[in-house]
Amino acid sequence: MGNKSKQSKMKWIVLATAVLAVIVSVIVVFLNQEEAPAVETAQVDVSGQPTLGESNAPVTVVEYGDFKCPSCKAWGEMVYPQLVEDYVETGKVKFSYINVFFHGNESVLGSLAAESVYEQSPEIYWEFHKALYDAQPVEDHDAAWITPEKLMEVASAFPEIDQVRLKEDIEQVSQQEQLQKDEALVEEAGVSQTPTISVNGQQLEDPFDYDAIKALIDQELEGAE
């Protein structure tokens, strides 16, 4: 009986030690995860980009978008208005837009027109921006619809836009330098889908997850205090 009792005790000691070791390991891993530094991300240079909000806002939200992209249109209707109401209008966030050309010539044409309008009047840019997305067809997105004629039709609703200058800018690709800058920013950020949304340089996995966007903005705002 004595030997069996000792053996039983030894088994329990060994088992308890093993369990304790596992618990300690889990705690160590957890603490290491909690204390791990945040991944550093590069701020996006938005100088010269269409920007909405206070220039000294502590947080910069950037949309990498394509006027030909249906998801970008949906994001502009579903997420953008709430973002502007919650953060841009309160002075906490400035919002910038960077052109992406994943859909080829039509993406370039739309961006040329938008950049021409921005150069003429930064104030009217955002109205033209929205009107161009509104002109996107509900069905058959792949059909060619961004044409010089369509762009002039959209612009005709805004008397502030110099139509002759816009037409010449499109024909002469006058904003080519700005488009090249956008292309370089897209490549530098490793953008692979549109829309891509970044908060102070940190890209969101799901651009439509507004709770995640809010959480990241709030985190950045706390760090800026």
Side-chain angles (χ1 to χ4, degrees):
M1 290 292 292
N3 288 338
K4 285 185 179 180
S5 177
K6 286 181 181 179
Q7 287 176 358
S8 179
K9 270 187 183 179
M10 287 300 296
K11 285 180 180 179
W12 279 110
I13 291 172
V14 170
L15 181 60
T17 303
V19 170
L20 181 61
V22 171
I23 293 172
V24 170
S25 298
V26 170
I27 292 172
V28 169
V29 170
F30 177 77
L31 289 175
N32 286 340
Q33 286 178 340
E34 288 294 304
E35 296 172 0
V39 177
E40 293 185 7
T41 53
Q43 283 279 14
V44 182
D45 180 9
V46 296
S47 56
Q49 301 296 334
T51 300
L52 192 65
E54 301 291 337
S55 59
N56 61 348
V59 175
T60 301
V61 174
V62 175
E63 176 191 359
Y64 298 86
D66 187 326
F67 289 109
K68 177 79 173 176
C69 163
S71 294
C72 296
K73 177 179 180 177
W75 191 89
E77 294 171 346
M78 298 167 61
V79 180
Y80 170 79
Q82 195 64 51
L83 174 70
V84 171
E85 181 181 341
D86 291 346
Y87 292 103
V88 177
E89 292 178 350
T90 57
K92 299 174 182 177
V93 162
K94 59 178 178 285
F95 176 82
S96 293
Y97 185 86
I98 295 175
N99 295 297
V100 182
F101 315 114
F102 287 166
H103 291 271
N105 290 337
E106 287 186 82
S107 304
V108 172
L109 268 177
S111 299
L112 282 172
E115 291 295 340
S116 174
V117 171
Y118 178 66
E119 190 173 288
Q120 288 189 42
S121 173
E123 294 76 20
I124 207 67
Y125 166 85
W126 292 104
E127 293 182 46
F128 178 80
H129 176 107
K130 182 179 184 303
L132 188 51
Y133 271 118
D134 287 344
Q136 189 182 111
V138 177
E139 298 178 356
D140 197 9
H141 305 294
D142 293 329
W145 68 273
I146 302 182
T147 62
E149 294 75 21
K150 186 64 177 180
L151 292 169
M152 297 307 300
E153 178 188 325
V154 173
S156 67
F158 304 97
E160 301 90 341
I161 298 175
D162 184 332
Q163 307 291 314
V164 174
R165 179 180 170 185
L166 174 60
K167 187 173 185 293
E168 290 177 351
D169 282 349
I170 294 172
E171 291 174 348
Q172 299 172 13
V173 195
S174 300
Q175 279 66 38
Q176 182 175 1
E177 185 176 340
Q178 181 59 45
L179 265 59
Q180 289 173 338
K181 180 179 178 181
D182 285 358
E183 191 171 25
L185 288 172
V186 168
E187 184 177 347
E188 181 182 332
V191 172
S192 59
Q193 67 174 14
T194 52
T196 287
I197 305 301
S198 75
V199 177
N200 278 357
Q202 302 176 67
Q203 293 182 18
L204 278 297
E205 289 186 11
D206 180 0
F208 289 91
D209 187 347
Y210 188 59
D211 287 339
I213 294 174
K214 279 176 59 70
L216 190 49
I217 291 174
D218 292 341
Q219 176 183 313
E220 292 296 304
L221 287 171
E222 287 178 11
E225 292 178 354

